[in-house]
Amino acid sequence: MKQMKSPFNLDRQNNEIDSKIVVALERLSGAFRVLLWNESKQNALSPIQIQILIFLLFHPGEKCKVSYLAQEFNMTKPTISDSVKSLLEKDLVKKYEDPLDIRSYTIGLTGAGKQAAMKSADFASAIEEPLNLISGEQKEAMLAGLLKIILELNRAGVITIQRMCFTCSNYSVVNGNHYCKLLQARLANNELRVDCKEHEPKVEL
Ligand code: SF4
């Protein structure tokens, strides 16, 4: 019988490292789901509400809009609006209207929202801990591989928003090294950023 091409087909998986990596990534994404779900149960908030609070805690105001959040979390605008409405009712976020456009607003944390976000921000620490057991070299190889996968998924339209070096207009390769024009510095492999505050999207011609 012809082998099914699924990475979840155990015969294929046992013979191909690519399939094993796909399945391992799926396990990790399951771990994120479980940890986020536990956090949401403890706080009587939905997983997406927790994610919104954490995003607002660490990102500048211009990104804290319903439309941006919808792209960030691959959800529809009405779904994000519902979550924001619920966070407003719980007094965890507040709206800042744009004086130039009354239909537009950004969302910010209230004092209580900031506390809730800070409490939940390390929900993934159980995934961070085992990294202590991995060497610096292995981590660099992992990061390089993951960035490449994210970049290709971004190009394929599976992951929409990206704020990593490889999609940034400030990124270039100089003499074979990663280089950031904004920081005016060479970036070592372990300095490449996944979510950079200064990221400026590349304009594709
Ligand atoms: S601005 Fe940030 S994302 Fe862009 S190249 Fe520099 S470090 Fe990387």
Side-chain angles (χ1 to χ4, degrees), residues 163-166 168-172 179-183 187 191-193 196-200:
R163 294 178 295 273
M164 62 149 116
C165 291
F166 295 156
C168 178
S169 59
N170 293 312
Y171 173 82
S172 62
Y179 185 80
C180 172
K181 281 183 258 169
L182 187 82
L183 303 175
L187 300 171
E191 289 172 324
L192 287 170
R193 296 184 183 179
C196 175
K197 240 187 230 170
E198 287 84 22
H199 179 270
E200 289 172 32

Side-chain angles (χ1 to χ4, degrees), residues 19 33 36 40 66 70 72 134 137 139 157 169 186 198:
S19 303
R33 267 201 307 277
L36 187 57
S40 78
V66 168
E72 173 77 15
I134 295 174
E137 257 174 41
K139 284 183 204 175
S169 59
R186 175 180 174 260
E198 287 84 22

